[in-house]
Amino acid sequence: MPAAPSSQLNKGQIFLIGAGPGDPALISVRGQELLQQATAVVYDYPASPALLKAASGARPYYIPGYSPEKVSTLLVQLAEGGETIVRLFQGDPYSDEAGGLEFSLLKQAGVGCEVVPGISSGIAAAAYAGIPVTHRDFANSFSLTSQPSSLSAENYRALAATGGTLVFLNVDDPAQLATLLLAAGKEPHTPVALISGASTWAQQTVSGHLSEIASLARTAAIRLPAVMVAGEVAGLRETLRWFDLAQVRPLLGHRVVVTRAREQASSVVAQLTALGADAIEFPVIKIVDPPTFVPMDRAVARLADFDWVVFTSVNGVDCFWKRLKMAGKDARAFAKAKICAIGPATAAALEERSLVPDLIPQRYVAEGILEELKVEPGQKFLLPRADIAREALVEGLQAKGAIVENVIAYSTVAGGEEGPGSINPAELVKLLNNGEIDAVTFTSSSTVRNFARRLATATDIALPVLLEKTTVACIGPITAGTARELGLTIGLEAPEFTIDGLIKSLVEHFTRATSRV
C-alpha cells in the first residue's frame, strides 16, 4: 500500500454518508458502523434522534442553511484536529447536489474522504407511497430532479416528452410545478402523487391528477417540501399501498411522549414506533440502588422462612435476583415459599428465572392481590419493593394477620438526565404549547409527579394548561388518581394495567378519534 500523502498525515477521516429517506433503520450497515465510531457528526437537516443516539460518542454539529463551501471549511477544520467525521445527508449523498461539490472541495484540501451511498429519498418516497418508479406495463425509465425550481422551460419540455416517470425532490410549491408541467405538454389527467415525510411517522401522501394535485395538497395541508411523482405508475398507489394503512400502523401521524426510565423506555418506544407513532423519550424517573442492601440481603439469607414472596414490579424481580445471585443462591432458595406476581410482565420476569408464580391477580394493583390472596394469621410475607411503593399492600396484609417484611429492593428518583434520542424540557414545552404532542403516557404515580417537576424548570405555564391539547394516558387508576390530583384531565385510562394494555388503549383511542373525523 502506498504511503499517505504528507498533506493527509495527522488528519482525520471524513465520511459522506447517506442516511436514507427518514426511517433511521434504512441507513446502511456501513453507515451505522461509522456513526458508532465517529467523534463528530455534521448534518444540515433534522436528523433522526435514533441516528444521533447511535453516534452517542460524537459531538453533533447542526448546520442548517450552510453552503457547500462553508460545510467543507468546517469539515476540514475538524479533520485537522484528528476527528473521525460523519457528514450525514438525507437520502443519498450524490443524489443531493451538494454531495459531489463537498467531496471536490475536501479533495482539494487534501483531506481523506469516503462516500457511503444511501437510499435515495425520491425512490424511497415513491416506494413508501406504494408507487414503483418503473413498471413493465407503464414506464421503463424514470428521471430524478433534485431542484425543480432551477429548471428552464426547455428542461421541462424535455422531461414531459420522455414518457417515463418524473420524480421531483424538494418540491415547495406544488401549484407552480404542476403549472410548469402542464405548460410543457404533460396531460392534465396524468396520475400524480405528492409525498412528505416518507418512511416516518409523519408520512403524508396525496394523489390525484396533475390538474388537481395542488388543490388536494392544500386541502390535506401536506407539509412541504415534498417529493412529487408524476406518471402512470402513480395510479398504482391504491393497489400497491402498504406502509400507511390504518390497520397496519394505526398510530401513524401521532406523537407520543414516553416518560419511563431510560433503561425501560426502549421496549415501549419500539412498540409505538412499530405502530407508526413518533415515540419521544422524556425520562422522568431513574431506578437506582437502595441506600443499603442489608435488609434485602438478610431477607435473601432467610428466604426459606417465608410463606409468600410478593413481587409488585419487574424492577423488584431484577433487583432481588441480583442479590440472590450475589449470595450464591438460585431459584431453589425459595424452598416452600409461594410466589405472587402483580401482573403478566412481572410474572414473565420471574419465569425467565425458572420461577412460576402461584398467584397473578386479575387486577394488577395491590388491592387485587389483597382480594385474591388467602392469608392465614401468622403467615410470613416478604415484599421486595420500591422505596416509594404505596402502603396499601403492607397494611392490608397486616390487617389480615400476616407478618410482613417490607424491604427496599430499589429506589426511584427523579431522572431528568438528557441523552441522545431524548428531548429536553424546553423543547417539549414548545411542542406541547403548539399542540404538536398527541399523547403523554404515564406508567406510575412517580412519572406523573416527576414529569410535572421537570417541566416546571422550563416554563411558568400551569401543567393542566400545558397539556390541554394533549391526551393524558395513564396505565391504571392509581396513576390516573395522581394525575387528577395535579389537575390533569385524563384522556384514557387503560383497563388492563400493563404496558401492552396502555398501548392497546392508545390505539383504540386514536382509531376512534380518526373515525369521527
Side-chain angles (χ1 to χ4, degrees), residues 31 120 218 485:
S120 167
R218 282 193 298 272
E485 289 174 9

Side-chain angles (χ1 to χ4, degrees), residues 297-318:
D297 289 343
R298 286 175 179 165
V300 166
R302 297 181 292 105
L303 194 52
D305 295 341
F306 293 97
D307 297 291
W308 280 91
V309 182
V310 181
F311 290 100
T312 57
S313 70
V314 173
N315 291 323
V317 175
D318 292 342

Side-chain angles (χ1 to χ4, degrees), residues 330-348:
D330 57 24
R332 292 171 295 181
F334 283 82
K336 67 180 178 64
K338 291 184 178 180
I339 300 172
C340 173
I342 199 168
T346 304

Side-chain angles (χ1 to χ4, degrees), residues 48-400:
S48 164
L51 291 178
L52 300 180
K53 193 172 184 178
S56 58
R59 286 185 302 281
Y61 293 84
Y62 183 39
I63 51 165
Y66 277 38
S67 67
E69 291 78 9
K70 194 172 181 180
V71 173
S72 300
T73 298
L74 171 63
L75 295 175
V76 170
Q77 288 173 349
L78 292 172
E80 293 284 358
E83 303 272 12
T84 299
I85 308 123
V86 164
R87 163 67 166 110
L88 275 182
F89 288 83
Q90 189 166 26
D92 174 72
Y94 278 9
S95 294
D96 186 315
E97 61 182 18
L101 180 54
E102 286 182 22
F103 187 96
S104 297
L105 293 169
L106 292 169
K107 187 175 181 180
Q108 291 171 21
V111 179
C113 197
E114 178 182 323
V115 176
V116 180
I119 300 172
S120 167
S121 296
I123 297 173
Y128 271 79
I131 301 168
V133 292
T134 60
H135 189 286
R136 183 180 64 182
D137 298 329
F138 300 102
N140 58 13
S141 66
F142 72 93
S143 64
L144 185 67
T145 302
S146 63
Q147 296 294 337
S149 60
S150 66
L151 297 185
S152 66
E154 184 179 351
N155 294 146
Y156 276 105
R157 284 193 294 273
L159 286 172
T162 64
T165 304
L166 306 181
V167 181
F168 298 94
L169 306 180
N170 306 310
V171 176
D172 52 18
D173 190 341
Q176 181 186 44
L177 180 54
T179 298
L180 289 168
L181 288 170
L182 289 168
K186 233 17 183 170
E187 293 293 338
H189 61 267
T190 301
V192 174
L194 200 62
I195 309 122
S196 175
S199 79
T200 73
W201 71 277
Q203 178 166 319
Q204 295 174 284
T205 305
V206 292
S207 57
H209 294 141
L210 183 59
S211 59
E212 62 181 357
I213 194 63
S215 174
L216 293 172
R218 282 193 298 272
T219 301
I222 193 164
R223 286 177 289 272
L224 300 173
V227 173
M228 180 184 281
V229 182
E232 294 304 315
V233 291
L236 298 174
R237 167 169 160 74
E238 291 309 316
T239 303
L240 302 182
R241 185 177 174 184
W242 62 276
F243 178 74
D244 53 355
L245 296 172
Q247 60 268 37
V248 177
R249 291 176 181 81
L251 295 181
L252 196 69
H254 295 290
R255 283 181 132 165
V256 180
V257 173
V258 177
T259 57
R260 296 191 91 193
R262 183 179 299 284
E263 58 270 19
Q264 297 174 319
S266 57
S267 62
V268 184
V269 169
Q271 290 183 67
L272 291 171
T273 301
L275 292 167
D278 178 26
I280 299 174
E281 289 185 49
F282 187 69
V284 297
I285 60 172
K286 190 160 103 174
I287 307 303
V288 299
D289 290 340
T292 175
F293 286 111
V294 172
M296 188 157 60
D297 289 343
R298 286 175 179 165
V300 166
R302 297 181 292 105
L303 194 52
D305 295 341
F306 293 97
D307 297 291
W308 280 91
V309 182
V310 181
F311 290 100
T312 57
S313 70
V314 173
N315 291 323
V317 175
D318 292 342
C319 296
F320 189 82
W321 191 258
K322 287 178 185 176
R323 302 310 296 181
L324 191 74
K325 288 191 71 176
M326 288 187 70
K329 299 176 182 291
D330 57 24
R332 292 171 295 181
F334 283 82
K336 67 180 178 64
K338 291 184 178 180
I339 300 172
C340 173
I342 199 168
T346 304
L350 287 165
E351 289 167 6
E352 288 175 4
R353 296 162 171 89
S354 301
L355 293 169
V356 180
D358 297 280
L359 173 66
I360 305 173
Q362 292 186 7
R363 291 202 304 140
Y364 311 144
V365 289
E367 290 77 3
I369 294 175
L370 293 169
E371 288 167 5
E372 298 188 38
L373 199 59
K374 295 178 180 178
V375 180
E376 297 178 10
Q379 280 187 319
K380 295 179 179 179
F381 281 75
L382 174 62
L383 277 59
R385 306 191 302 162
D387 58 337
I388 60 171
R390 293 190 303 135
E391 294 301 313
L393 183 56
V394 174
E395 293 171 355
L397 289 171
Q398 289 174 338
K400 292 185 176 187

